[in-house]
Amino acid sequence: MAIAMVIIAQYHMEVNLFGETICKSEEEPVCPICQTKLKFRDWRRRISIKEGRDVTWIMIRRLYCKKCRRLHNELPDILSPYKHYEAETIEGVVDGIVLPDDADSEMYPCAATMNRWKQWIAHNTPFIEGFLRMIGYSIMELGKEYLMTGEKIFDSLRKRLPPERKSWLGYINRIIYNSGASLEPFPKVEAP
Ligand SMILES: [Zn+2]
């Protein structure tokens, strides 16, 4: 079974006396399945790789839902479920800002990894677009005229995300995973 996750946007990182980086959550997440307030269970180490292959292990909270009896990893939105690289790096590649050609092999993920990310987003794009349209229609009450335009909501979100929300992948992850849905891995199941 896939690991259940909640993605948080309000947090800060602290380094403790042992040199460990701790993700200090400022949120009190609810279970994406039953909306019960989650309880702290324990800490878990999670890898985080920045552009430049700079590896940090971050301590994240593992939360427990006493109703569903399930554990949920609390992931800061700089990270993406099942991906080791930070969302910002993945976005840079998907948006074509980081190209395999200009990538120094010492500094960037390999071309195969970059291609996988592009394929992963391309594979999930119809689902993400449908999800955003559903939210636009049912929650934000956007008119039919808006939703019937040819413009893809996902594309415009990628271009016009407000500056305080720098990461479109973090934003997408948050609305999808916190609703109890998930993106599909591509091409197959990846390591958590
Ligand atoms: Zn639950």
Coordinates of all heavy atoms in Angstrom, one line a residue, residues 52-96:
G52 N 22.5 20.5 -7.7 CA 23.9 20.5 -7.3 C 24.2 19.3 -6.5 O 25.3 19.1 -5.9
R53 N 23.2 18.4 -6.4 CA 23.3 17.1 -5.7 C 23.7 17.2 -4.2 O 24.4 16.4 -3.7 CB 24.3 16.2 -6.4 CG 23.8 15.9 -7.8 CD 24.6 14.7 -8.4 NE 24.1 14.4 -9.8 CZ 24.6 13.5 -10.5 NH1 25.6 12.7 -10.1 NH2 24.1 13.3 -11.7
D54 N 23.2 18.3 -3.6 CA 23.5 18.6 -2.2 C 22.4 17.8 -1.4 O 21.2 18.2 -1.5 CB 23.3 20.1 -2.1 CG 23.6 20.6 -0.6 OD1 24.0 19.8 0.2 OD2 23.3 21.8 -0.4
V55 N 22.9 16.8 -0.7 CA 21.9 15.9 0.0 C 21.7 16.4 1.5 O 22.7 16.6 2.2 CB 22.4 14.5 0.0 CG1 21.5 13.6 0.8 CG2 22.5 14.0 -1.4
T56 N 20.5 16.5 1.9 CA 20.2 16.8 3.3 C 19.2 15.7 3.7 O 18.3 15.4 3.0 CB 19.5 18.2 3.5 OG1 20.3 19.1 2.8 CG2 19.3 18.6 4.9
W57 N 19.3 15.2 4.9 CA 18.3 14.4 5.5 C 17.5 15.2 6.4 O 18.0 15.9 7.3 CB 18.9 13.2 6.3 CG 19.5 12.2 5.3 CD1 20.8 12.1 4.8 CD2 18.8 11.1 4.7 NE1 20.9 11.1 4.0 CE2 19.7 10.4 3.9 CE3 17.5 10.6 4.8 CZ2 19.4 9.3 3.2 CZ3 17.1 9.5 4.1 CH2 18.1 8.8 3.3
I58 N 16.2 15.2 6.2 CA 15.3 16.1 7.0 C 14.4 15.2 7.9 O 13.9 14.1 7.4 CB 14.3 16.9 6.0 CG1 15.2 17.9 5.2 CG2 13.3 17.7 6.8 CD1 14.4 18.6 4.1
M59 N 14.3 15.5 9.1 CA 13.4 14.8 10.0 C 12.0 15.3 9.8 O 11.7 16.5 10.0 CB 13.8 15.0 11.5 CG 15.2 14.5 11.8 SD 15.5 12.8 11.5 CE 14.7 12.1 12.9
I60 N 11.1 14.5 9.4 CA 9.7 14.9 9.2 C 8.8 14.1 10.2 O 9.2 13.1 10.7 CB 9.2 14.6 7.7 CG1 9.3 13.1 7.4 CG2 9.9 15.5 6.7 CD1 8.5 12.8 6.1
R61 N 7.6 14.7 10.5 CA 6.7 14.0 11.4 C 5.9 12.9 10.8 O 5.6 13.0 9.6 CB 5.7 15.0 12.0 CG 6.4 16.1 12.8 CD 5.4 16.8 13.7 NE 4.3 17.4 13.0 CZ 3.2 18.0 13.6 NH1 3.2 18.1 14.9 NH2 2.3 18.6 12.9
R62 N 5.8 11.9 11.5 CA 4.8 10.8 11.1 C 3.6 10.9 12.0 O 3.7 11.0 13.2 CB 5.5 9.4 11.2 CG 4.9 8.4 10.3 CD 5.8 7.3 9.9 NE 6.2 6.6 11.1 CZ 6.4 5.3 11.2 NH1 6.1 4.6 10.2 NH2 6.8 4.7 12.3
L63 N 2.5 11.1 11.3 CA 1.2 11.4 12.1 C 0.3 10.2 12.0 O 0.4 9.4 11.0 CB 0.6 12.6 11.5 CG 1.5 13.9 11.4 CD1 0.8 14.9 10.6 CD2 1.8 14.4 12.8
Y64 N -0.6 10.0 13.0 CA -1.4 8.9 13.1 C -2.9 9.3 13.1 O -3.3 10.2 13.8 CB -1.1 8.1 14.3 CG -1.9 6.8 14.5 CD1 -1.8 5.8 13.7 CD2 -2.8 6.8 15.6 CE1 -2.5 4.6 13.9 CE2 -3.5 5.6 15.8 CZ -3.4 4.5 14.9 OH -4.1 3.4 15.1
C65 N -3.7 8.6 12.3 CA -5.2 8.9 12.3 C -5.8 7.7 13.1 O -5.7 6.6 12.7 CB -5.8 8.9 10.9 SG -7.6 9.0 11.0
K66 N -6.4 8.1 14.3 CA -6.9 7.0 15.1 C -8.2 6.4 14.6 O -8.6 5.3 14.9 CB -7.0 7.5 16.6 CG -8.0 8.6 16.8 CD -8.0 9.0 18.3 CE -9.1 10.0 18.5 NZ -8.9 11.0 19.5
K67 N -8.8 7.2 13.7 CA -10.1 6.6 13.1 C -9.7 5.6 12.0 O -10.3 4.5 12.0 CB -10.9 7.8 12.6 CG -12.3 7.4 12.3 CD -13.2 8.6 12.0 CE -14.6 8.1 11.5 NZ -15.3 9.3 10.8
C68 N -8.9 6.0 11.1 CA -8.5 5.1 10.0 C -7.4 4.1 10.4 O -7.1 3.2 9.7 CB -7.9 5.9 8.8 SG -9.0 7.1 8.1
R69 N -6.8 4.4 11.5 CA -5.6 3.6 12.0 C -4.5 3.6 10.9 O -3.9 2.5 10.6 CB -6.0 2.2 12.4 CG -7.0 2.3 13.5 CD -7.4 0.9 14.0 NE -8.2 0.9 15.1 CZ -8.6 -0.1 15.9 NH1 -8.1 -1.3 15.6 NH2 -9.4 0.0 16.9
R70 N -4.2 4.8 10.4 CA -3.2 4.8 9.3 C -2.2 5.9 9.7 O -2.5 6.9 10.3 CB -3.8 5.2 8.0 CG -4.5 4.0 7.3 CD -4.8 4.4 5.9 NE -3.6 4.3 5.0 CZ -3.7 4.4 3.7 NH1 -4.8 4.6 3.1 NH2 -2.6 4.4 3.0
L71 N -1.0 5.6 9.2 CA 0.1 6.6 9.4 C 0.2 7.5 8.2 O 0.0 7.0 7.1 CB 1.4 5.9 9.7 CG 1.5 5.1 11.0 CD1 2.7 4.2 10.9 CD2 1.7 6.1 12.1
H72 N 0.5 8.7 8.4 CA 0.7 9.7 7.3 C 2.0 10.4 7.5 O 2.3 11.0 8.5 CB -0.5 10.7 7.3 CG -1.8 10.1 7.2 ND1 -2.5 10.1 6.0 CD2 -2.6 9.5 8.1 CE1 -3.7 9.5 6.2 NE2 -3.8 9.2 7.5
N73 N 2.8 10.4 6.4 CA 4.0 11.3 6.5 C 3.6 12.7 6.2 O 2.9 13.0 5.3 CB 5.0 10.8 5.4 CG 5.7 9.5 5.7 OD1 5.7 9.0 6.8 ND2 6.2 8.9 4.7
E74 N 4.2 13.6 7.0 CA 3.9 15.0 6.9 C 5.1 15.6 6.1 O 6.2 15.8 6.6 CB 3.8 15.7 8.3 CG 3.4 17.1 8.2 CD 3.5 17.8 9.6 OE1 4.6 17.8 10.2 OE2 2.5 18.4 10.0
L75 N 4.9 15.9 4.8 CA 5.9 16.3 3.9 C 5.9 17.8 3.7 O 4.8 18.4 3.4 CB 5.7 15.6 2.6 CG 6.9 15.3 1.7 CD1 7.9 14.4 2.4 CD2 6.4 14.6 0.4
P76 N 7.0 18.5 3.9 CA 7.0 19.9 3.6 C 6.9 20.1 2.1 O 7.4 19.3 1.3 CB 8.4 20.4 4.1 CG 9.3 19.2 4.1 CD 8.3 18.0 4.4
D77 N 6.3 21.2 1.6 CA 6.0 21.3 0.2 C 7.2 21.6 -0.7 O 7.0 21.7 -1.9 CB 4.8 22.3 -0.1 CG 5.2 23.7 0.3 OD1 6.3 23.9 0.9 OD2 4.4 24.6 0.1
I78 N 8.4 21.7 -0.1 CA 9.6 21.8 -1.0 C 9.9 20.4 -1.5 O 10.6 20.3 -2.5 CB 10.8 22.3 -0.2 CG1 11.1 21.5 1.1 CG2 10.8 23.8 0.0 CD1 12.5 21.7 1.6
L79 N 9.3 19.4 -0.9 CA 9.5 18.0 -1.4 C 8.2 17.5 -2.1 O 7.1 18.0 -1.8 CB 9.9 17.1 -0.3 CG 11.2 17.4 0.4 CD1 11.4 16.6 1.7 CD2 12.4 17.1 -0.6
S80 N 8.4 16.5 -2.9 CA 7.3 15.9 -3.7 C 7.3 14.4 -3.3 O 8.3 13.8 -3.2 CB 7.6 16.1 -5.2 OG 6.4 16.0 -5.9
P81 N 6.1 13.9 -3.1 CA 6.0 12.5 -2.7 C 6.8 11.6 -3.6 O 6.7 11.7 -4.9 CB 4.5 12.2 -2.7 CG 3.8 13.5 -2.5 CD 4.7 14.5 -3.1
Y82 N 7.5 10.7 -3.1 CA 8.3 9.7 -3.8 C 9.4 10.2 -4.7 O 10.1 9.5 -5.4 CB 7.4 8.8 -4.8 CG 6.2 8.2 -4.0 CD1 4.9 8.7 -4.2 CD2 6.4 7.2 -3.1 CE1 3.9 8.2 -3.5 CE2 5.4 6.7 -2.3 CZ 4.1 7.2 -2.5 OH 3.0 6.7 -1.8
K83 N 9.7 11.5 -4.5 CA 10.8 12.1 -5.3 C 11.9 12.5 -4.3 O 11.6 13.2 -3.3 CB 10.3 13.3 -6.1 CG 9.3 13.0 -7.2 CD 9.9 12.4 -8.4 CE 8.9 12.1 -9.5 NZ 8.2 10.8 -9.2
H84 N 13.1 12.3 -4.7 CA 14.2 12.6 -3.8 C 14.7 14.1 -4.0 O 15.1 14.7 -3.0 CB 15.4 11.7 -3.9 CG 15.1 10.3 -3.5 ND1 15.9 9.2 -3.8 CD2 14.0 9.8 -2.9 CE1 15.3 8.1 -3.3 NE2 14.2 8.4 -2.8
Y85 N 14.6 14.5 -5.2 CA 15.0 15.9 -5.5 C 13.9 16.9 -5.0 O 12.7 16.6 -5.0 CB 15.2 16.1 -7.0 CG 16.7 15.8 -7.4 CD1 17.0 14.5 -7.7 CD2 17.7 16.7 -7.4 CE1 18.3 14.1 -8.1 CE2 19.0 16.4 -7.7 CZ 19.3 15.1 -8.1 OH 20.6 14.8 -8.4
E86 N 14.3 18.1 -4.7 CA 13.3 19.1 -4.3 C 12.4 19.5 -5.5 O 12.9 19.5 -6.6 CB 14.1 20.4 -3.8 CG 14.7 20.2 -2.4 CD 15.1 21.4 -1.7 OE1 15.2 22.5 -2.4 OE2 15.5 21.4 -0.6
A87 N 11.2 19.9 -5.1 CA 10.2 20.2 -6.1 C 10.7 21.3 -7.1 O 10.5 21.3 -8.3 CB 8.9 20.7 -5.5
E88 N 11.5 22.3 -6.6 CA 12.0 23.4 -7.4 C 12.9 22.9 -8.5 O 12.8 23.4 -9.6 CB 12.8 24.3 -6.4 CG 12.9 25.7 -6.9 CD 13.9 26.5 -5.9 OE1 14.0 26.2 -4.7 OE2 14.4 27.5 -6.4
T89 N 13.7 21.9 -8.2 CA 14.6 21.3 -9.2 C 13.8 20.6 -10.3 O 14.0 20.7 -11.5 CB 15.6 20.3 -8.6 OG1 16.3 21.0 -7.5 CG2 16.6 19.8 -9.6
I90 N 12.8 19.8 -9.8 CA 11.9 19.1 -10.8 C 11.2 20.0 -11.7 O 11.2 19.9 -12.9 CB 11.0 18.2 -10.0 CG1 11.7 17.1 -9.1 CG2 10.0 17.5 -10.9 CD1 10.9 16.3 -8.2
E91 N 10.7 21.1 -11.1 CA 10.0 22.1 -11.9 C 10.8 22.8 -12.9 O 10.4 23.0 -14.0 CB 9.5 23.2 -10.9 CG 8.2 22.9 -10.2 CD 7.8 24.1 -9.4 OE1 8.0 25.2 -9.7 OE2 7.2 23.8 -8.3
G92 N 12.1 23.1 -12.5 CA 13.0 23.7 -13.4 C 13.3 22.9 -14.6 O 13.4 23.4 -15.8
V93 N 13.3 21.6 -14.4 CA 13.5 20.6 -15.5 C 12.3 20.5 -16.4 O 12.3 20.6 -17.6 CB 14.0 19.2 -15.0 CG1 13.9 18.2 -16.1 CG2 15.3 19.3 -14.3
V94 N 11.1 20.4 -15.7 CA 9.8 20.2 -16.5 C 9.5 21.5 -17.3 O 9.1 21.4 -18.4 CB 8.7 19.9 -15.5 CG1 7.3 19.9 -16.2 CG2 8.9 18.5 -14.8
D95 N 9.8 22.6 -16.7 CA 9.6 23.9 -17.4 C 10.6 24.3 -18.4 O 10.6 25.3 -19.0 CB 9.5 25.1 -16.4 CG 8.2 25.0 -15.5 OD1 7.2 24.3 -16.0 OD2 8.1 25.6 -14.5
G96 N 11.7 23.4 -18.5 CA 12.7 23.7 -19.5 C 13.7 24.7 -19.1 O 14.4 25.2 -20.0

